[in-house]
């Protein structure tokens, strides 16, 4: 088991304004799985992803990666673990505007001791011919590909994707999902993807449906559909 999530609770606010966002989440993820965290807005899925990624901390319970609990790590060790072993893809691209495509991806490579070849990643992403362009010269899909490249080039154990197609149109979303699928096949990353789009669950190895801070469904998808064949 690569990732163990044990009895995670998380609340925000206090007193009358206190909101319990996660209410005892128990999940395990195997190495190499593509897991989809599915749920409506407010279900707690992005909060859970942030806790898995060490961006936020749980009030109770623990996350363990390769048997090591993140809560037991010093802040320095946790920062080092995030830097070396986790890749993040967000709905917002967060590219550095004065760096070109290749340089934005190289930022990710600098954070890893085991990075992939930048030019190979550019070719995998279909960005090689755009490598000298600045972010404002790219389409939304090309910007998201660049953001994916920055995360993937680190060669992370776990790739965390928070609504990676949320700001994209249908056709571009399909392209990005196919790209994520091909990255998993080529590089063997474990991928955890948050989405509210129910159709995306069909491409997953495992589906975890959250509602009101609890796991409502957790199952292995025995009838996976290729990303190219998804429809919504």
């Amino acid at each position: 088991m690569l990732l163990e999530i044990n009895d995670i609770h998380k609340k925000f606010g206090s007193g009358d304004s206190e909101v319990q966002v996660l209410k005892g989440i128990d999940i395990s993820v195997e190495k190499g799985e593509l897991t989809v965290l599915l749920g409506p807005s407010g279900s707690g899925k992005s909060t859970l992803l942030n806790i898995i990624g060490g961006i936020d901390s749980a009030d109770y319970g623990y996350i363990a990666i390769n048997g090591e609990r993140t809560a037991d790590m010093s802040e320095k060790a946790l920062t080092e673990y995030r830097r070396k072993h986790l890749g993040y893809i967000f709905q917002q691209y967060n590219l550095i505007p004065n760096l070109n495509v290749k340089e934005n991806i190289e930022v990710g490579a600098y954070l890893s001791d085991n990075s992939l070849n930048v030019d190979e990643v550019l070719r995998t992403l279909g960005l090689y011919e755009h490598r000298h362009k600045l972010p404002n010269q790219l389409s939304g899909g090309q910007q998201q590909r660049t953001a994916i490249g920055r995360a993937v080039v680190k060669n992370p154990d776990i790739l965390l994707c928070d609504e990676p197609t949320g700001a994209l149109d249908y056709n571009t979303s399909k392209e990005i999902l196919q790209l994520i699928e091909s990255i998993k096949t080529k590089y063997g990353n474990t991928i955890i993807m948050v989405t509210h789009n129910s159709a995306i669950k069909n491409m997953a190895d495992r589906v975890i449906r959250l509602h009101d801070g609890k796991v409502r469904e957790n199952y292995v998808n025995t009838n996976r559909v290729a990303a190219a064949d998804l429809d919504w």
Side-chain angles (χ1 to χ4, degrees):
M1 184 192 310
L2 176 65
L3 177 66
E4 181 185 2
I5 300 166
N6 186 274
D7 200 21
I8 291 292
H9 290 73
K10 180 68 177 179
K11 66 182 178 182
F12 292 106
S14 60
D16 292 340
S17 62
E18 181 179 296
V19 178
Q20 195 75 30
V21 179
L22 298 175
K23 305 172 183 176
I25 303 291
D26 290 292
I27 299 169
S28 62
V29 176
E30 299 293 340
K31 183 175 174 58
E33 275 189 337
L34 169 55
T35 296
V36 163
L37 295 179
L38 181 68
S41 178
S43 60
K45 56 192 188 297
S46 290
T47 299
L48 178 59
L49 198 75
N50 288 339
I51 292 172
I52 293 170
I55 295 171
D56 204 348
S57 58
D59 297 326
Y60 184 80
Y62 66 85
I63 304 282
I65 301 173
N66 283 325
E68 188 174 3
R69 298 189 186 193
T70 55
D72 294 341
M73 298 178 186
S74 67
E75 188 56 43
K76 182 179 179 181
L78 184 58
T79 298
E80 190 73 3
Y81 192 88
R82 285 196 300 258
R83 193 169 72 86
K84 290 187 175 182
H85 300 288
L86 299 175
Y88 302 88
I89 302 169
F90 301 102
Q91 183 174 338
Q92 302 302 319
Y93 316 127
N94 298 320
L95 301 177
I96 301 171
N98 60 337
L99 297 184
N100 65 31
V101 168
K102 184 172 183 177
E103 291 165 339
N104 265 283
I105 292 175
E106 284 173 338
V107 168
Y110 295 146
L111 296 176
S112 174
D113 296 332
N114 188 34
S115 63
L116 302 172
N117 180 278
V118 173
D119 284 345
E120 180 192 338
V121 170
L122 283 164
R123 289 188 172 94
T124 297
L125 297 171
L127 288 172
Y128 190 76
E129 68 214 54
H130 304 291
R131 64 192 182 280
H132 298 306
K133 292 182 179 178
L134 295 173
N136 66 5
Q137 297 173 302
L138 302 174
S139 68
Q142 289 166 340
Q143 290 184 64
Q144 186 61 298
R145 284 171 178 263
T146 305
I148 290 171
R150 181 182 55 200
V152 168
V153 76
K154 293 170 63 179
N155 198 18
D157 297 326
I158 302 176
L159 199 55
L160 302 173
C161 309
D162 192 357
E163 298 277 9
T165 63
L168 303 172
D169 62 50
Y170 172 76
N171 289 326
T172 308
S173 295
K174 290 277 294 285
E175 289 176 7
I176 294 300
L177 293 171
Q178 289 176 66
L179 182 59
I180 290 171
E181 183 179 64
S182 68
I183 284 167
K184 173 181 175 290
T185 300
K186 184 169 186 175
Y187 299 119
N189 308 89
T190 302
I191 299 174
I192 302 174
M193 189 186 330
V194 158
T195 184
H196 65 272
N197 184 341
S198 182
I200 294 176
K201 74 179 187 299
N202 296 317
M203 68 178 282
D205 298 307
R206 177 177 296 278
V207 179
I208 297 167
R209 188 172 67 86
L210 299 181
H211 185 74
D212 194 30
K214 296 181 179 180
V215 175
R216 301 299 185 180
E217 284 185 290
N218 181 353
Y219 63 91
V220 173
N221 182 16
T222 56
N223 297 300
R224 283 186 63 244
V225 174
D229 296 327
L230 295 177
D231 194 19
W232 63 87

